[in-house]
Amino acid sequence: MMPIYIIGHKVLRQTGADIDKDYPDLQGLIERMFETMYESDGVGLAAQQVGIPIKLFVIDATPYADEFPEAEDFKRVFINAKIVEYLGDDTVLNEGCLSIPGVREDVVRKDKVHIQYYDQNFEYHDEIIEGLPARVLQHEYDHTYGILFTDRLSQLRKTMLRNRLRAVARGKFRASYPVRLGDKNTVDRYIFPQVPVAK
Ligand SMILES: [Zn+2]
C-alpha cells in the first residue's frame, strides 16, 4: 500500500494537472489507490493524498449504504473531474480525512452536484450526483484542487483547531496506515491555504 501524505505536506496544496489515457501505469495507480483506500478504511482517496498532484480520485461509498441507500455500489474513478454546478440544499455531516488523522468536524456542503469527468477507461460522463456520494465526491474533488475539509470550516473553528493541526502535521497522531509528513520547517505554511477557498 502507498503511504498517505499528511496535512502540512506541500503536495496536498497543489492543484492537480489534467491527465490523459497515456499517463504512465494509470491502471496500476488506480488499483494501488483502491487498495490503499481499503487498507486504511477510507471511502475515497485522491492522488494528492498519495503524493501525486494530478486530477484523479477514487471512491467506494459502499460502507455507507446501510445509512444512505444511494451509496450502494457507488464505486467509481474520477479523472479530470469538473464540478459544473453545486445544486440542492446545504447539508451538514461529520467528516474526517485520511490526511488529517484523528480530526473530525461538521462540514456544510450541497447535497447535489453537476459533474463532468472521465472514468478509468476514459469514457466521458456528464452527470448529476446526489446524496452521500455527492458529499464524498466533493471532499475528494476538493483534494484535487489542493483544498482540505478544514478549509471549509468557520473562522472560529479554524482558530480553535490550529494547534491541533500543527501537532498532526508534526506526526502527533496514531494511524493504522503508513504516512508521510511534510518538511518540518514548512508544515505550518500548508495547514491553512494562502488564498480563500472558492465555493
Ligand atoms: Zn480527505
Side-chain angles (χ1 to χ4, degrees), residues 44-46 49 95-100 139-140 143 147-149:
L45 189 70
Q49 295 181 274
E95 292 189 18
C97 179
L98 295 174
S99 293
I100 316 176
H139 178 118
E140 300 310 326
H143 275 299
I147 299 167
L148 301 174
F149 81 87

Side-chain angles (χ1 to χ4, degrees), residues 61-74 130-133:
T62 310
Y64 280 113
D66 282 347
E67 206 180 337
F68 302 92
E70 70 275 19
E72 184 79 52
D73 297 326
F74 193 91
E130 299 182 51
L132 194 276

Side-chain angles (χ1 to χ4, degrees), residues 5 50 67 77 83 88 94 97 111 113 115 127 132 153-154 192:
Y5 286 60
V50 290
E67 206 180 337
V77 175
I83 292 179
N94 200 250
C97 179
D111 64 359
V113 290
I115 189 166
E127 284 177 30
L132 194 276
L153 304 175
S154 69
F192 287 111

Side-chain angles (χ1 to χ4, degrees), residues 6-10 12-13 99-100 146-152 158 161-170 183-184 186-194 197:
I6 299 298
I7 188 169
H9 197 291
K10 185 180 170 182
L12 291 172
R13 293 310 188 178
S99 293
I100 316 176
I147 299 167
L148 301 174
F149 81 87
T150 43
D151 303 342
R152 297 210 176 272
K158 287 184 193 175
L161 264 180
R162 187 174 293 270
N163 286 340
R164 176 95 183 276
L165 294 177
R166 282 184 170 158
V168 171
R170 286 167 173 77
D183 179 337
K184 64 180 184 304
T186 61
V187 283
D188 290 334
R189 193 182 303 167
Y190 300 112
I191 288 174
F192 287 111
Q194 308 303 298
V197 173

Side-chain angles (χ1 to χ4, degrees), residues 95-163:
E95 292 189 18
C97 179
L98 295 174
S99 293
I100 316 176
V103 175
R104 298 197 66 91
E105 290 287 330
D106 286 345
V107 181
V108 180
R109 296 189 191 271
K110 295 292 184 191
D111 64 359
K112 199 191 284 195
V113 290
H114 175 194
I115 189 166
Q116 298 170 338
Y117 65 98
Y118 294 86
D119 64 21
Q120 65 272 33
N121 303 313
F122 264 85
E123 302 281 345
Y124 179 74
H125 298 263
D126 185 327
E127 284 177 30
I128 304 281
I129 294 174
E130 299 182 51
L132 194 276
R135 170 164 296 265
V136 178
L137 184 159
Q138 287 173 72
H139 178 118
E140 300 310 326
Y141 176 84
D142 273 356
H143 275 299
T144 65
Y145 284 82
I147 299 167
L148 301 174
F149 81 87
T150 43
D151 303 342
R152 297 210 176 272
L153 304 175
S154 69
Q155 199 52 55
L156 177 65
R157 286 306 303 164
K158 287 184 193 175
T159 302
M160 291 173 75
L161 264 180
R162 187 174 293 270
N163 286 340

